[in-house]
């Protein structure tokens, strides 16, 4: 065999051994639980040969990062986090418009968010806010089971409730925006002020209060139902109720960052994830979000949103950057600054 033939054969073997290098790379920021983020990244890399560099952060942290990188984007894909946060980013011209050919297989609520955001994000999952509590800790401390938002004002819960901070947590913003839409803004903030003495911490992550409830570090938290289901399936003594007055919900989204360095790979990721097979990955790693794909596998552990009293959530209004800034500033001024 000639030297030229040997070199060609070696090059062929090398390319076959390193499909990821041949297919390019993808940089992803991911808001849901780390196990889910890692499983999605691994599956996409395995199926496409595209290398995935993934970092897990809260929605507010992701929004802050892509704003900071706007002139020199280092991120290609933003996976998860509430529609309002993505719409805020879209309004700031931080996201790239894209309509996947797989949109037709999605539920109406996922496509509606895509339209609201000027085609700059698409709904991928949903879930509702509930009140989670540790049944063993509640019994040990002889605490009543809450049935409503109003119940959480009971002095018996002083120092027993944990909530996330809306400056970093999309979950917290969804809770506050839901209370505003349930009542009105002044009444919602009056409620949060009266609730403050019962709150022992405002955490950076939206999942942290529910995890603290699971471990018995705090008795009560407001959280998403799919995260509570994950803790239940892992064997923790955690239960959830939905407030009698009504509650908010999210549509989590997927977006491509404007100026993405790996745009073809980012579009391929969106196309890949908007399929039933990709959305079926969640339950394999104990994640129970309501999937956007109509053909995703049904499972009784996935919450049934039709049985919950939900507010008429205005994603477009609460995704406006000015609305978000005003609500966060008011929270800092009237709630975050209160003495502990």
């Amino acid at each position: 065999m000639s030297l030229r033939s040997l070199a060609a054969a070696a090059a062929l073997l090398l390319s076959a051994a390193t499909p990821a290098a041949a297919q390019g790379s993808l940089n992803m920021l991911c808001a849901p639980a780390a196990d889910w983020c890692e499983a999605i990244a691994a599956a996409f890399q395995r199926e496409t040969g595209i290398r995935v560099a993934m970092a897990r952060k809260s929605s507010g942290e992701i929004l802050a990062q892509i704003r900071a990188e706007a002139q020199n984007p280092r991120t290609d894909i933003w996976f998860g986090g509430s529609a309002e946060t993505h719409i805020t980013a879209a309004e700031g011209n931080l996201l790239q418009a894209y309509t996947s050919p797989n949109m037709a297989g999605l539920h109406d609520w996922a496509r509606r968010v895509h339209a609201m955001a000027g085609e700059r994000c698409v709904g991928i999952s949903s879930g509702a806010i509930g009140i989670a509590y540790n049944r063993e800790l509640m019994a040990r401390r002889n605490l009543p089971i809450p049935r409503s938002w109003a119940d959480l004002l009971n002095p018996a819960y002083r120092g027993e409730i944990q909530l996330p901070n809306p400056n970093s947590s999309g979950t917290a913003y969804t809770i506050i925006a839901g209370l505003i839409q349930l009542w009105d803004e002044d009444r919602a903030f009056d409620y949060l002020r009266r609730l403050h003495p019962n709150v022992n911490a405002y955490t950076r992550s939206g999942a942290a209060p529910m995890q603290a409830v699971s471990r018995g570090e705090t008795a009560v938290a407001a959280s998403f139902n799919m995260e509570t289901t994950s803790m239940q399936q892992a064997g923790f003594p955690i239960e959830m109720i939905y407030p009698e007055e009504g509650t908010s919900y999210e549509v989590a989204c997927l977006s491509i960052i404007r100026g993405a360095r790996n745009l073809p790979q980012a579009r391929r990721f969106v196309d890949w994830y908007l399929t039933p097979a990709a959305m079926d990955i969640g339950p394999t790693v104990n994640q129970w979000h309501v999937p956007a794909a109509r053909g995703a596998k049904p499972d009784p552990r996935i919450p049934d949103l039709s049985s919950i009293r939900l507010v008429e959530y205005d994603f477009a209004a609460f995704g406006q950057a000015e609305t978000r800034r005003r609500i966060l500033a008011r929270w800092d001024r009237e709630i975050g600054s209160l003495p502990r």
Side-chain angles (χ1 to χ4, degrees):
M1 182 180 288
S2 68
L3 287 176
R4 181 175 295 176
S5 298
L6 283 170
L12 182 63
L13 285 170
L14 183 60
S15 65
T18 57
Q23 296 299 321
S25 60
L26 184 76
N27 298 307
M28 178 168 70
L29 290 175
C30 193
D35 287 352
W36 191 17
C37 295
E38 290 163 3
I40 292 164
F44 180 68
Q45 183 167 306
R46 185 171 58 250
E47 293 182 28
T48 65
I50 296 170
R51 276 194 320 274
V52 180
M54 186 277 294
R56 194 272 156 197
K57 296 188 176 186
S58 295
S59 299
E61 294 173 312
I62 293 174
L63 179 58
Q65 180 172 330
I66 65 173
R67 277 174 170 161
E69 297 175 354
Q71 300 307 312
N72 185 25
R74 299 175 182 274
T75 304
D76 303 309
I77 283 287
W78 174 4
F79 183 95
S82 63
E84 309 95 293
T85 320
H86 287 256
I87 290 170
T88 298
E91 188 181 76
N93 203 26
L94 298 172
L95 305 180
Q96 171 72 46
Y98 180 59
T99 300
S100 169
N102 293 331
M103 288 277 296
L106 304 184
H107 287 291
D108 291 345
W109 48 264
R111 298 202 303 272
R112 276 198 301 272
V113 168
H114 181 256
M116 285 179 191
E119 302 179 354
R120 287 176 170 83
C121 75
V122 60
I124 53 172
S125 66
S126 188
I129 293 289
I131 299 171
Y133 61 91
N134 185 303
R135 62 175 180 269
E136 294 178 357
L137 193 58
M138 297 286 276
R140 203 156 56 238
R141 295 181 179 172
N142 197 30
L143 293 171
I145 304 301
R147 300 295 175 192
S148 65
W149 293 113
D151 284 352
L152 296 185
L153 299 176
N154 187 334
Y157 295 122
R158 189 173 184 88
E160 299 285 0
I161 299 171
Q162 200 167 109
L163 296 173
N165 186 318
N167 287 291
S168 56
S169 165
T171 301
Y173 186 77
T174 300
I175 293 168
I176 295 168
L179 293 174
I180 292 170
Q181 292 168 93
L182 183 64
W183 300 317
D184 60 53
E185 188 170 318
D186 287 342
R187 183 177 170 188
F189 274 92
D190 177 66
Y191 171 81
L192 293 170
R193 278 192 298 274
R194 290 188 290 143
L195 182 64
H196 179 78
N198 291 353
V199 178
N200 57 52
Y202 297 101
T203 64
R204 189 180 73 173
S205 164
M210 177 271 306
Q211 292 166 353
V213 169
S214 298
R215 295 189 296 264
E217 297 168 359
T218 193
V220 180
S223 185
F224 277 114
N225 52 7
M226 58 277 194
E227 294 173 344
T228 302
T229 301
S230 296
M231 290 295 128
Q232 289 172 330
Q233 293 301 307
F236 290 98
I238 186 170
E239 304 292 342
M240 173 165 274
I241 65 95
Y242 298 102
E244 295 171 348
E245 303 97 330
T247 192
S248 53
Y249 69 101
E250 77 161 1
V251 172
C253 284
L254 170 62
S255 298
I256 297 173
I257 306 304
R258 183 173 178 269
R261 298 177 183 182
N262 302 295
L263 185 56
Q265 290 85 355
R267 286 173 173 161
R268 189 170 180 187
F269 180 88
V270 173
D271 294 344
W272 173 81
Y273 193 75
L274 298 187
T275 62
M279 293 194 187
D280 286 341
I281 292 171
T284 69
V285 288
N286 194 27
Q287 297 298 313
W288 306 100
H289 300 239
V290 177
R294 285 195 174 95
K297 291 178 184 174
D299 191 293
R301 290 166 289 188
I302 295 173
D304 178 10
L305 298 186
S306 67
S307 65
I308 303 168
R309 186 175 183 181
L310 301 174
V311 300
E312 292 290 332
Y313 204 104
D314 190 338
F315 294 101
F318 285 87
Q320 290 177 357
E322 180 53 39
T323 300
R324 182 182 180 86
R325 277 194 296 269
R326 181 174 53 75
I327 290 172
L328 294 182
R330 185 168 184 178
W331 188 90
D332 286 339
R333 186 172 63 252
E334 299 185 17
I335 311 301
S337 64
L338 291 173
R340 305 216 51 77

